[in-house]
Every structure is written in structure tokens, then in C-alpha cells.
């Protein structure tokens, strides 16, 4: 099934929020869209966890009728479990399903999932060819350029992926063994775009609007997938869109940052099935602290924020700081 999913045409390039574990929640996806993000993806979901009825895993399928294309990213190695989870994702409103073949975190690769699949590319192709024809929505793949420098997969592997049925590819320009060290190699992404008959989303080090614009021009990507550059900074999508149009989008002030941070917390509390506020705020600590990066006194404010156990307490802490 071709990309993009059914709906209005996407701009060129389209902007996508990466599936970030612990960060790409419904609340953060909603904020990203407000600032111009075109496509969003859930946090990665364990197909095995879904199969065994893990309650927290099922919460990742809460898409809240989000506007525009929203997908669910799955990881796993069992084709039947992946299909079961993918079908549930579609029934939950997913416009596409994404297969994670690039997460380099140890607990993921130790089970043979994520970036571990880069060591057995034939398994990636078997999973894609099994899933793609059985789904009524596009199947996409997110991965890296290879396991290590001695075993590069791209650009050539994109041909096999599209022949297996992948509708689009999100490619991070590092090897799995690099984790997030060094720089993403966008020359490999550009070479992959040149070989591909399917849309390619470039990913890696898109931390400023100017850099995103340059990477798009150099690579010809259909889309730009922004991950860590959006953390505590959801307005980066508006800044990138402005840069692409040759206009200006000013960096928000500390007061504006704190207002968005509070809204993030409120949205998180309203959209997620109701755990106590304290639990919500504990889960949000890493995300909320990102909004404070680079401002004087941010370390002390973060420490005080980490002791807050209610939204009212967070508001009382932040309101004077915003003034």
C-alpha cells in the first residue's frame, strides 16, 4: 500500500516527530502538531507485550483521534505477534504501522529486536513481506544505515525493502553501534533517496532549522524526521517550516517556554487514563526538564520541580518563574 496514508497531500518535505520512547506521548504529539508537525508516531510498542496483555503496552495505542497521519511503531521478531498488534493499531485509528529495526538500546537488541535485526537483514525482509500485504494501511520501516561500519546496509538495502512491501523508510544516518555518538551521515541518506522508489524520511541531528533546511536540500528527502531536536522544543517544527519558506520564527522566551511546559503537563494528565497526578509528573520529569535547558537558574528549578506531586504545585512553582 503506497505512502502517504489516505488524507490530504503532505507538504514537501513533510515534517515528522520521531517515535521517542518515553517522550512521544499523545500530549507531546499534540503539541508538535500545533507547531507544524505533519506526521506523528507513537512510542515503540512491544508486540510481545501486547500479545500477553500488558496493560501499559495497550495504553500506547491511545491515539485520541489525532488529526493527520499518526502511526504506531512496533518492535518484535514474531510475525504473528507483530500482525496481531498491527491489526489492533489499525482498529485504534493508526494511519500506518511502523516496524522498528533501528533501536540500539541494549534491552531491545538483547531480545533480537530493534537494531539487532540489522545483523540479519533477511529477517527484516521476511517480517516486511509477511506484514505488508496483510494490513489495510501502509507499513513503514525505521532503521539505521547498518549494524556497524564493517556491515553497511544502505543505500542498497532500500531496493530489497521496497520490493518486500515497505511503503516508506525512515533512515537514521548512524550505525547501531554508534548509538548517538559522532555525526549522522547524511551522504548515505542522500544516496538512499537516489536509489529509492519509496519516500525516505531522513533522521539524525536535525537540531536547528537551518540545519534541517540544508539537510533537505542536500538529500532530497521526502520528509524530515525530528527526534531529540524536538524535546523541550516542540516549536522546532514551526521554525523548520519557516526556514524552508524563508521566513522567521523567533525562539520563545523563558516565559513562553514555561507556558508550553505547563500545557504539556496538563495535556498529559487529561489524555492518559487516570493514574494519580504524582505518577504523571514523575513520568514527565525528563520531558519537562528539557524545556528549561540553557536558562539561568534552570538547575535549581529542575530540582524543585522534581519534588512537585500535583499540577497545582507545578503551576505554583512555574508561575513566579515565568514572571
Amino acid at each position: 500500500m503506497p505512502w502517504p496514508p489516505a488524507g490530504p497531500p503532505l507538504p514537501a518535505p513533510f515534517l515528522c516527530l520521531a517515535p521517542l520512547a518515553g517522550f512521544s506521548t499523545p500530549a507531546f504529539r499534540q503539541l508538535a502538531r500545533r507547531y507544524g508537525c505533519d506526521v506523528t508516531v507513537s512510542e515503540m510498542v512491544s508486540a510481545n507485550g501486547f500479545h500477553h496483555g500488558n496493560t501499559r503496552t495497550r495504553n500506547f495505542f491511545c491515539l485520541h483521534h489525532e488529526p493527520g497521519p499518526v502511526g504506531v511503531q512496533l518492535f518484535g521478531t514474531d510475525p504473528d505477534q507483530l500482525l496481531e498488534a498491527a491489526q489492533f493499531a489499525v482498529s485504534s485509528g493508526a494511519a500506518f504501522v511502523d516496524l522498528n529495526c533501528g533501536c540500539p538500546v541494549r534491552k531491545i537488541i538483547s531480545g533480537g529486536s530493534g537494531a539487532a535485526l540489522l545483523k540479519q537483514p533477511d529477517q527484516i525482509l521476511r517480517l516486511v513481506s509477511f506484514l505488508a500485504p496483510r494490513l489495510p494501511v501502509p507499513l513503514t520501516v525505521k532503521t539505521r544505515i547498518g549494524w556497524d561500519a564493517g556491515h553497511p546496509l544502505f543505500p542498497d538495502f532500500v531496493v530489497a525493502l521496497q520490493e518486500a512491501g515497505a511503503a516508506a523508510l525512515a533512515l537514521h544516518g548512524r550505525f547501531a553501534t554508534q548509538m548517538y555518538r559522532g555525526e549522522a551521515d547524511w551522504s548515505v541518506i542522500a544516496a538512499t533517496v537516489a536509489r529509492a522508489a519509496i519516500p525516505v524520511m531522513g533522521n539524525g541531528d536535525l537540531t536547528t532549522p537551518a540545519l534541517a533546511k540544508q539537510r533537505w536540500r542536500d538529500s532530497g528527502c521526502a520528509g524530515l524526521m525530528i527526534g531529540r531536536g524536538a524535546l523541550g522544543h516542540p516549536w522546532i517544527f514551526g521554525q523548520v517550516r519557516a526556514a524552508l519558506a524563508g521566513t522567521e520564527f523567533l525562539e520563545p522566551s523563558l516565559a513562553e517556554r514555561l507556558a508550553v511546559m505547563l500545557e504539556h503537563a496538563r495535556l498529559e494528565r487529561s489524555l492518559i487514563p487516570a493514574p494519580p497526578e504524582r505518577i504523571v509528573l514523575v513520568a514527565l520529569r525528563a520531558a519537562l526538564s528539557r524545556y528549561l535547558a540553557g536558562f539561568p537558574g534552570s538547575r535549581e528549578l529542575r530540582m524543585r520541580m522534581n519534588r512537585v506531586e500535583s499540577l497545582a504545585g507545578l503551576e505554583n512553582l512555574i508561575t513566579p518563574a515565568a514572571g
Side-chain angles (χ1 to χ4, degrees):
M1 184 167 294
W3 177 272
L10 296 174
F14 60 87
L15 305 180
C16 180
L17 174 64
L20 298 163
F23 293 98
S24 295
T25 63
F28 192 58
R29 299 197 302 265
Q30 185 169 315
L31 286 175
R33 283 191 183 276
R34 181 177 306 173
Y35 286 103
C37 180
D38 303 299
V39 179
T40 56
V41 193
S42 73
E43 300 175 69
M44 64 178 181
V45 183
S46 167
N48 181 264
F50 175 81
H51 176 74
H52 288 97
N54 181 282
T55 302
R56 184 171 180 273
T57 294
R58 287 179 178 265
N59 286 341
F60 292 137
F61 292 90
C62 294
L63 303 182
H64 297 281
H65 308 290
E66 294 175 41
V70 55
V72 169
Q73 187 187 73
L74 303 175
F75 74 92
T77 58
D78 184 291
D80 293 320
Q81 290 182 358
L82 284 164
L83 180 60
E84 178 187 22
Q87 290 171 334
F88 186 78
V90 174
S91 72
S92 300
F96 63 98
V97 173
D98 185 68
L99 180 63
N100 185 306
C101 301
C103 178
V105 175
R106 179 175 297 179
K107 70 177 182 179
I108 303 299
I109 63 175
S110 63
S113 300
L117 290 167
L118 290 167
K119 294 188 285 187
Q120 41 183 340
D122 287 347
Q123 174 70 350
I124 297 176
L125 298 179
R126 282 193 290 270
L127 292 175
V128 171
S129 61
F130 177 82
L131 294 169
R134 291 171 170 81
L135 296 176
V137 299
L139 177 73
T140 63
V141 173
K142 185 175 189 301
T143 190
R144 291 187 169 220
I145 58 177
W147 174 254
D148 59 27
H151 301 86
L153 271 185
F154 289 90
D156 295 342
F157 191 59
V158 70
V159 176
L161 272 178
Q162 63 198 26
E163 289 175 352
L169 169 69
L171 186 60
H172 183 105
R174 286 183 176 86
F175 294 103
T177 54
Q178 286 181 267
M179 298 292 287
Y180 295 97
R181 297 184 296 272
E183 294 184 359
D185 188 344
W186 276 75
S187 68
V188 177
I189 296 174
T192 302
V193 171
R195 294 291 309 274
I198 58 175
V200 175
M201 291 166 264
N203 176 233
D205 299 341
L206 297 177
T207 54
T208 69
L211 188 55
K213 181 178 181 178
Q214 189 63 50
R215 294 305 193 197
W216 174 62
R217 284 182 168 176
D218 292 344
S219 68
C221 287
L224 296 171
M225 178 175 278
I226 301 176
R228 291 174 296 158
L231 298 181
H233 198 193
W235 46 84
I236 193 173
F237 296 99
Q239 291 175 316
V240 170
R241 187 61 69 198
L244 292 167
T247 58
E248 189 176 13
F249 186 116
L250 296 176
E251 189 72 22
S253 66
L254 175 58
E256 290 168 328
R257 278 178 177 254
L258 293 177
V260 176
M261 186 184 78
L262 274 177
E263 185 173 8
H264 188 162
R266 292 179 184 128
L267 281 171
E268 198 76 39
R269 182 67 183 90
S270 67
L271 293 177
I272 294 297
E277 284 188 0
R278 181 182 63 82
I279 302 301
V280 173
L281 290 172
V282 168
L284 272 179
R285 282 176 182 171
L288 297 185
S289 68
R290 302 277 183 149
Y291 288 93
L292 306 176
F295 283 97
S298 61
R299 182 175 180 274
E300 180 183 351
L301 187 56
R302 278 197 304 270
M303 292 175 63
R304 294 172 63 192
M305 191 171 67
N306 287 343
R307 294 193 291 269
V308 167
E309 296 191 350
S310 69
L311 283 176
L314 183 64
E315 290 166 356
N316 290 337
L317 175 65
I318 294 303
T319 302

